[in-house]
Amino acid sequence: MTHRWHTGGMPKIEKTDAEWRAELSPEEYRILRQKGTEAPFTGEYDHTFEPGTYHCAGCGAEIFASEAKYDSGCGWPAFSAPSGEEAIEEESDSSFGMVRTEVMCSNCGGHLGHVFPDGPQPTGLRYCINSAALKLEEK
């Protein structure tokens, strides 16, 4: 494993494809490393609202707090904001004939989901995230 530094002074995790395949389940690998999407309404955390912290399933970095989670009805876990501005990276995604904003873990670069401008106030954002990209650490 090698590290690349990113904003905030934290090392960025870099692993080979073989290392990721060995550490992740096939579904986690498909979503986090191959930018896959789980079927709507099938993810473990779609209707989970226990207090806690959601971490990246790939590297364990804190991504979202349960206080930011809400039921958007979109079929995937939805959050109004990440746990901190350093938690995620965003990138334009024009796959599948549409333009969206991809959300990735800033620590390992794993694909988490997408963010849309139709969320609740005060952010107005809906972070639509794959359950397989997350691990909930309950309080």
Side-chain angles (χ1 to χ4, degrees):
M1 175 173 48
T2 59
H3 293 90
R4 191 173 77 223
W5 297 94
H6 62 84
T7 317
M10 295 294 296
K12 187 161 189 157
I13 295 174
E14 292 184 348
K15 297 180 183 183
T16 66
D17 188 61
E19 288 173 317
W20 284 120
R21 283 184 186 274
E23 293 177 20
L24 301 172
S25 73
E27 180 73 346
E28 289 169 342
Y29 179 83
R30 186 180 72 79
I31 290 169
L32 287 163
R33 307 319 309 170
Q34 296 181 315
K35 301 180 187 281
T37 300
E38 62 201 6
F41 305 103
T42 63
E44 176 182 1
Y45 301 125
D46 184 27
H47 284 86
T48 299
F49 294 97
E50 282 74 20
T53 307
Y54 289 86
H55 296 263
C56 175
C59 69
E62 182 178 324
I63 305 292
F64 295 101
S66 61
E67 293 82 13
K69 192 170 189 299
Y70 69 100
D71 187 1
S72 71
C74 70
W76 291 272
F79 301 86
S80 57
S83 60
E85 59 184 59
E86 299 289 327
I88 62 165
E89 291 180 351
E90 297 178 3
E91 186 173 288
S92 181
D93 173 4
S94 57
S95 61
F96 302 106
M98 59 184 117
V99 177
R100 303 176 289 176
T101 301
E102 179 185 3
V103 177
M104 297 153 302
C105 172
S106 65
N107 196 47
C108 72
H111 171 78
L112 302 171
H114 293 86
V115 61
F116 302 94
D118 59 4
Q121 292 305 316
T123 65
L125 298 174
R126 172 175 54 98
Y127 289 86
C128 186
I129 307 298
N130 292 286
S131 287
L134 300 171
K135 295 284 185 206
L136 172 61
E137 183 182 306
E138 292 186 33
K139 286 185 181 174

